[in-house]
Amino acid sequence: MQIWQEFQQQSQQLTKRVFNRHLRLGVTGLSGAGKTAFITSLVNQLTAPVDTVRLPFFSPLQQQRFLGGRIDTSQAMQTPRFSYESNLQQIQQGQWPASTSSWSQLSLNLRYKPAGGLAAQLTDYRELQLDVVDYPGEWLLDLPMLQQDYQSWCQFSWQLFEKPHRAELAAEFAAYLQQVDLDDDSELQLQQLTNTYSALLQKFRLQSHACLLQPGRLLLPAELAGTPLLQLLPLLPSQLQQPSKLLSRLQQHYASYQKLVITPFYQQYFAGIDHQVVLVDCLSALNAGYDVLQELQQALMLILQSFHYGPTGWWRRLFKPRISKVLFAASKADQLTPEQHKNLTLLLQQLLQQPLQDSRYQYCQSEAMALSAVVCSDIGQVQTAEGLQACLQGISAQSGELITLYPGEVPWSMPSPLLFSHHRFAFPAFLPRPIPKQQVLPQLRLDQALEFLLGDHLT
Ligand SMILES: Nc1nc2c(ncn2[C@@H]2O[C@H](COP(=O)(O)OP(=O)(O)OP(=O)(O)O)[C@@H](O)[C@H]2O)c(=O)[nH]1
Ligand SMILES: [Mg+2]
């Protein structure tokens, strides 16, 4: 019975894909980029009663063809469901949902009237199934590890560890590794080394604000906690020269991690993506300084190399899906006064300049914008000696108090290290403003994002 149901579900899915009625949206971004907030707001905008939503640039709604969306309730019981309702409740009550610790999924059925032609005459409405997956951003950085073997991963890691914002913390770990017996591959030694390396990764994140941390599962193991698969760490480049028991064990673990963790992660969540949104938190990186901004650029470049981009037709949609549209979005634009949004978009484009030069992107449509999934600030003006000055008002995430401030300017191109030596960026973090339950989340340019990502599938 269950096999028959699964077969029925799969054939329905295939039919939808052939007729372009199924879209898998890949929400991509490092930890803290805003994926969970983005998905929550997207679901909220698309499932709220259509007369309560304000999405002027989302053409199906503007043309009164969008009839509404609902959450698909037929999702398999064993599939973790994206906690939309509780995330929404938290945001409406003025709190952010916690950082994601495992994967989850949600499907929406979007009902719309066809824009014209024969379809409009023959049917009252059509439905598009939209699938979205949420996962911890840390895991995304495992994808580039598929392109490397253990040795090259170690070399790469130690090059990263030499960077100024990491060097001091890494030196301690290097000294610890120096005195390790390379012919001891006992459980005890492997576990002690792994614990020390995983503590180092946590310190890199908290003290150095580093974002390129591998392997991601060492930071957030989920169901893999305690498995030997996670006994993984980069030996020093000098320790790779001679064969040793420890080296060969770590090589085996690395290969198993690639095969049993990263490949299934990619296959399950990313291999079938049709459209992608890449969320980037440029403002936190600017706050953290030059080295972190550089590292963010490097991380984005590595991640984007893991996806396949290109045109799509029904055959490809079925058998060899490729990403045909990618939206690069600078998140949390509500932390800036509006005249800075253009600079934020330009900075994002500069950050992505290198990956975007890659010829693969020429075959897919891309767009860059600054957006905010949940607007937490009000825009105002204050009188200063120089005249009227734009300012923001919002609830500070640090103090919980209402603050009014001018957050400052965003450089429109990659800033030099010199700029950071005499200027400190301090873009504020806000809490969401509490709103009534029936009110739709305030957002910025989510309508333009939806138009780009979904508009042509709702015609
Ligand atoms: N002001 C503002 N802050 C936001 C917005 N979206 C996210 N944030 C902030 O960014 C933090 C991280 O957002 P999440 O949506 O949890 O980020 P994530 O990409 O899901 O992170 P992981 O779950 O760790 O991978 C939130 O806790 C907020 O502090 C936004 O639209 N506006
Ligand atoms: Mg999350």
Side-chain angles (χ1 to χ4, degrees):
M1 188 64 191
Q2 204 194 339
I3 295 177
W4 172 243
Q5 275 176 348
E6 273 177 25
F7 172 74
Q8 266 190 323
Q9 256 184 356
Q10 277 177 11
S11 49
Q12 276 170 7
Q13 211 76 302
L14 280 179
T15 319
K16 281 181 183 172
R17 283 193 77 74
V18 172
F19 291 104
N20 217 0
R21 310 257 175 80
H22 181 239
L23 189 76
R24 216 171 148 76
L25 177 65
V27 181
T28 317
L30 298 176
S31 179
K35 297 180 293 300
T36 303
F38 179 87
I39 299 172
T40 306
S41 186
L42 175 140
V43 175
N44 186 230
Q45 313 294 327
L46 291 175
T47 57
V50 283
D51 55 344
T52 60
V53 188
R54 286 196 58 240
L55 299 170
F57 285 99
F58 184 42
S59 62
L61 196 80
Q62 190 212 14
Q63 296 162 3
Q64 298 180 336
R65 294 188 298 100
F66 186 64
L67 304 175
R70 59 183 175 81
I71 295 173
D72 183 11
T73 48
S74 65
Q75 183 166 307
M77 297 282 264
Q78 65 274 26
T79 307
R81 185 179 179 280
F82 179 72
S83 318
Y84 164 67
E85 292 78 3
S86 88
N87 291 340
L88 178 67
Q89 190 183 47
Q90 285 182 62
I91 298 176
Q92 286 174 331
Q93 291 175 350
Q95 292 298 326
W96 291 111
S99 175
T100 309
S101 57
S102 190
W103 77 276
S104 63
Q105 172 173 322
L106 200 75
S107 297
L108 298 181
N109 289 317
L110 307 177
R111 197 170 275 194
Y112 64 98
K113 284 188 202 159
L118 200 57
Q121 287 164 26
L122 294 179
T123 48
D124 287 341
Y125 66 84
R126 270 191 178 164
E127 271 191 349
L128 174 74
Q129 181 182 326
L130 176 70
D131 293 346
V132 220
V133 173
D134 194 21
Y135 55 89
E138 285 84 351
W139 296 358
L140 203 58
L141 280 161
D142 280 346
L143 298 182
M145 289 172 72
L146 278 179
Q147 320 297 332
Q148 295 166 313
D149 61 11
Y150 177 70
Q151 263 93 340
S152 44
W153 177 64
C154 294
Q155 307 276 7
F156 170 78
S157 299
W158 283 98
Q159 274 166 18
L160 262 183
F161 298 173
E162 279 166 14
K163 297 276 158 71
H165 61 308
R166 299 204 194 213
E168 205 178 313
L169 289 170
E172 265 176 59
F173 183 57
Y176 175 67
L177 278 183
Q178 290 284 9
Q179 43 84 37
V180 154
D181 175 5
L182 293 176
D183 278 319
D184 176 4
D185 67 344
S186 65
E187 272 304 300
L188 184 66
Q189 158 113 309
L190 270 169
Q191 199 49 50
Q192 280 171 348
L193 283 169
T194 305
N195 293 347
T196 314
Y197 179 58
S198 108
L200 175 70
L201 287 181
Q202 297 285 5
K203 283 191 210 159
F204 276 152
R205 178 155 72 172
L206 295 173
Q207 295 175 26
S208 319
H209 304 285
C211 59
L212 216 172
L213 303 167
Q214 294 172 321
R217 289 280 187 152
L218 221 48
L219 285 163
L220 267 179
E223 77 287 358
L224 297 180
T227 60
L229 269 176
L230 298 191
Q231 290 173 335
L232 205 51
L233 61 132
L235 286 178
L236 292 164
S238 58
Q239 295 172 321
L240 307 171
Q241 311 300 331
Q242 305 288 335
S244 70
K245 278 189 182 172
L246 193 58
L247 173 59
S248 110
R249 265 300 273 283
L250 288 168
Q251 279 172 323
Q252 281 168 22
H253 286 198
Y254 188 87
S256 306
Y257 189 80
Q258 284 180 314
K259 188 168 157 219
L260 302 173
V261 182
I262 317 179
T263 305
F265 173 61
Y266 180 76
Q267 294 293 350
Q268 263 178 300
Y269 312 126
F270 296 115
I273 292 180
D274 303 296
H275 292 179
Q276 183 181 35
V277 47
V278 180
L279 292 165
V280 186
D281 180 4
C282 302
L283 300 178
S284 297
L286 281 171
N287 283 353
Y290 179 76
D291 297 309
V292 174
L293 193 64
Q294 289 269 311
E295 193 172 307
L296 173 67
Q297 184 175 38
Q298 191 178 7
L300 288 170
M301 196 166 87
L302 289 172
I303 291 165
L304 291 174
Q305 279 166 0
S306 308
F307 295 97
H308 300 287
Y309 298 89
T312 180
W314 72 267
W315 181 86
R316 270 209 183 280
R317 255 197 315 278
L318 275 186
F319 302 110
K320 222 171 172 217
R322 298 210 159 188
I323 298 170
S324 57
K325 274 191 168 188
V326 50
L327 174 70
F328 297 104
S331 55
K332 314 181 194 179
D334 60 306
Q335 294 175 338
L336 297 172
T337 43
E339 83 288 350
Q340 295 299 316
H341 292 172
K342 190 163 175 229
N343 279 9
L344 181 61
T345 311
L346 289 170
L347 177 67
L348 176 70
Q349 282 171 326
Q350 279 257 323
L351 270 175
L352 294 164
Q353 203 177 32
Q354 256 177 310
L356 287 180
Q357 273 168 358
D358 196 314
S359 60
R360 294 174 309 156
Y361 294 99
Q362 289 167 8
Y363 299 106
C364 83
Q365 287 181 55
S366 66
E367 209 168 294
M369 63 176 70
L371 56 74
S372 179
V374 184
V375 171
C376 305
S377 60
D378 283 320
I379 301 150
Q381 286 188 321
V382 283
Q383 188 69 49
T384 65
E386 286 91 43
L388 279 177
Q389 161 89 65
C391 68
L392 291 183
Q393 193 169 63
I395 304 168
S396 158
Q398 274 84 38
S399 66
E401 308 274 323
L402 191 69
I403 51 168
T404 304
L405 78 165
Y406 176 64
E409 290 178 13
V410 176
W412 59 268
S413 64
M414 274 300 278
S416 66
L418 194 67
L419 177 71
F420 286 91
S421 65
H422 59 80
H423 178 76
R424 226 185 146 243
F425 293 96
F427 299 106
F430 293 125
L431 289 178
R433 283 166 306 184
I435 54 166
K437 242 170 117 179
Q438 59 284 2
Q439 204 168 307
V440 182
L441 296 176
Q443 48 70 33
L444 183 74
R445 292 197 194 94
L446 219 60
D447 52 344
Q448 293 179 32
L450 288 173
E451 176 64 17
F452 177 74
L453 295 167
L454 306 180
D456 56 356
H457 273 66
L458 298 173
T459 53

